Amino acid sequence: MKITHPLLAISSLISAASVSAFVLSPQSNGKTVSSSTKLYISSWGAGGPPSRRKEKPVSPEDNIQTYLKAPEPVAARPNLDGKVLVSGWVNCKERTDQTVFDFLNHEESAFRFEKIVAFVDDSKFAKKRLISRSARYTGLLDKLDFVQADTEGALPTLAQLEGIKSWVVNAGSDLQIVKDVAELVKQSSVENVSVLVTDAQSLTDASSAMDAAKAFDLPEGKAFTIVAVGAITEAPEGGSPYQIREFGTEEGLLPANATYSRDEGLRAVTECLGLTSACNKAMVFSEVTNVNQTEYKLVKGLREGGYTRPQEFDHMLTLGAEVSFADFPVVLKFSFVD
């Protein structure tokens, strides 16, 4: 008997499809099958030939190799152009913080921004940090612009947000900043906002987190995403699988020792800015180290199966191991019922 190693089964998905990682709008693959009352007489029996039988869905918990399909394009938000504002970074001497800008400028991403605006405490300092050789080679330098805050640590004013279409925010663990961002988005030209909450292990009151998320009761045409993670580490991007829970719930509270890779957090908050499946969702990402946990197997399988990072995040958001966000209308669709 020939035995195929599970990793080889997953890796074979890489060559199964050569597709673009993105489509501009969701596409339905569902087909309507008409029913018939005709008497069915066949050697196949009442079920008909195998080609007509509905395939029984496989859970990733039961069989990860059978569950995984070849990667397909994922739906990107249609308004990822114009100007994007990046706030809360490039304010310290310990690092350049160029990574978040590189992710927004990546040529294979869904982003088509004409300008990437760094909103910083000190524009002269920020220019020295971001004007690098790599920024020149990747074309980031041609898109970069700088706006200085009125006071250190301040959020942009409505005047400074004029003409901004998308906004990526580093809010730290300050839930008041999250609420203030929501109010600014409501009153400004911003259509997409993605907020990174760090040190979320210090947030021990689920109701306070939910109140911050509910502040994003945005008008039609605007969308938000909240990505909360634990204490920041310098571990490399993609080093650990992760699980996703609901921000603002008891299940979404992190243990006191929870940590998360800096670059992985930046990847999550920027990719979610581009994904339709991340619209109007508030999430907590936490690292998974238990090799027997379904999320661990699933994320490892997606990566070994040739899924790009956007495809990976989209799968975890829409078909993840346990959470289907459509099942949580109050928390994640925000019906704002008191």
Side-chain angles (χ1 to χ4, degrees):
M1 178 184 295
K2 184 178 178 181
I3 299 177
T4 303
H5 194 279
L7 293 181
L8 294 178
I10 295 174
S11 300
S12 66
L13 291 173
I14 298 176
S15 58
S18 58
V19 293
S20 171
F22 292 101
V23 291
L24 286 181
S25 58
Q27 293 182 349
S28 173
N29 294 322
K31 296 181 180 179
T32 302
V33 180
S34 60
S35 60
S36 174
T37 56
K38 292 182 180 179
L39 179 64
Y40 191 87
I41 302 175
S42 168
S43 58
W44 291 110
S51 61
R52 295 186 184 177
R53 297 172 191 169
K54 186 175 182 180
E55 184 179 348
K56 185 178 180 181
V58 178
S59 166
E61 189 173 357
D62 298 332
N63 191 319
I64 200 72
Q65 290 79 36
T66 305
Y67 168 80
L68 286 177
K69 307 300 181 185
E72 297 181 352
V74 296
R77 304 187 197 191
N79 50 353
L80 300 174
D81 53 1
K83 292 182 179 181
V84 57
L85 187 81
V86 182
S87 67
W89 285 278
V90 205
N91 291 322
C92 68
K93 297 179 180 179
E94 288 74 27
R95 57 186 183 277
T96 65
D97 282 339
Q98 186 177 318
T99 303
V100 64
F101 296 89
D102 288 337
F103 287 163
L104 294 170
N105 184 53
H106 199 281
E107 61 181 4
E108 293 184 5
S109 72
F111 306 125
R112 296 296 177 264
F113 299 124
E114 298 162 15
K115 282 292 181 181
I116 301 176
V117 182
F119 183 81
V120 296
D121 291 341
D122 186 335
S123 58
K124 290 180 65 176
F125 170 80
K127 287 178 182 178
K128 292 178 181 178
R129 305 297 285 174
L130 290 178
I131 296 177
S132 64
R133 181 178 299 177
S134 62
R136 186 177 299 110
Y137 289 159
T138 60
L140 173 61
L141 201 58
D142 298 329
K143 295 182 180 180
L144 268 179
D145 204 352
F146 297 84
V147 174
Q148 185 167 304
D150 288 348
T151 58
E152 184 175 331
L155 287 172
T157 64
L158 286 175
Q160 290 169 327
L161 285 172
E162 188 175 349
I164 298 297
K165 202 168 184 178
S166 297
W167 186 7
V168 183
V169 186
N170 180 8
S173 59
D174 192 336
L175 294 181
Q176 186 57 51
I177 289 180
V178 177
K179 294 179 181 179
D180 292 343
V181 166
E183 291 306 312
L184 286 168
V185 171
K186 292 174 186 177
Q187 300 175 51
S188 68
S189 61
V190 174
E191 298 177 12
N192 296 307
V193 62
S194 191
V195 181
L196 178 64
V197 176
T198 58
D199 289 318
Q201 82 284 352
S202 66
L203 303 177
T204 58
D205 183 7
S207 62
S208 295
M210 175 57 73
D211 288 343
K214 282 187 173 182
F216 286 90
D217 182 12
L218 302 178
E220 188 175 352
K222 296 176 182 282
F224 79 96
T225 301
I226 295 175
V227 172
V229 299
I232 295 299
T233 69
E234 301 306 325
E237 178 196 349
S240 297
Y242 53 87
Q243 64 181 13
I244 305 173
R245 297 293 183 262
E246 307 157 65
F247 184 74
T249 65
E250 293 296 328
E251 189 182 38
L253 294 178
L254 292 173
N257 63 346
T259 61
Y260 211 77
S261 158
R262 182 187 307 280
D263 287 354
E264 186 67 17
L266 296 177
R267 176 68 76 178
V269 76
T270 51
E271 294 294 356
C272 285
L273 176 72
L275 292 171
T276 298
S277 57
C279 284
N280 301 328
K281 290 184 172 65
M283 303 164 285
V284 178
F285 284 65
S286 58
E287 294 178 348
V288 174
T289 57
N290 182 358
V291 297
N292 294 316
Q293 189 168 328
T294 303
E295 287 92 344
Y296 186 100
K297 298 175 184 178
L298 181 54
V299 172
K300 294 284 282 188
L302 292 169
R303 292 172 180 174
E304 291 163 357
Y307 281 63
T308 63
R309 295 311 305 272
Q311 290 168 331
E312 172 194 315
F313 283 118
D314 184 77
H315 187 97
M316 293 300 290
L317 288 169
T318 57
L319 301 169
E322 295 180 8
V323 177
S324 172
F325 288 106
D327 294 336
F328 300 94
V330 175
V331 176
L332 293 162
K333 288 188 178 180
F334 294 96
S335 57
F336 303 100
V337 176
D338 293 330

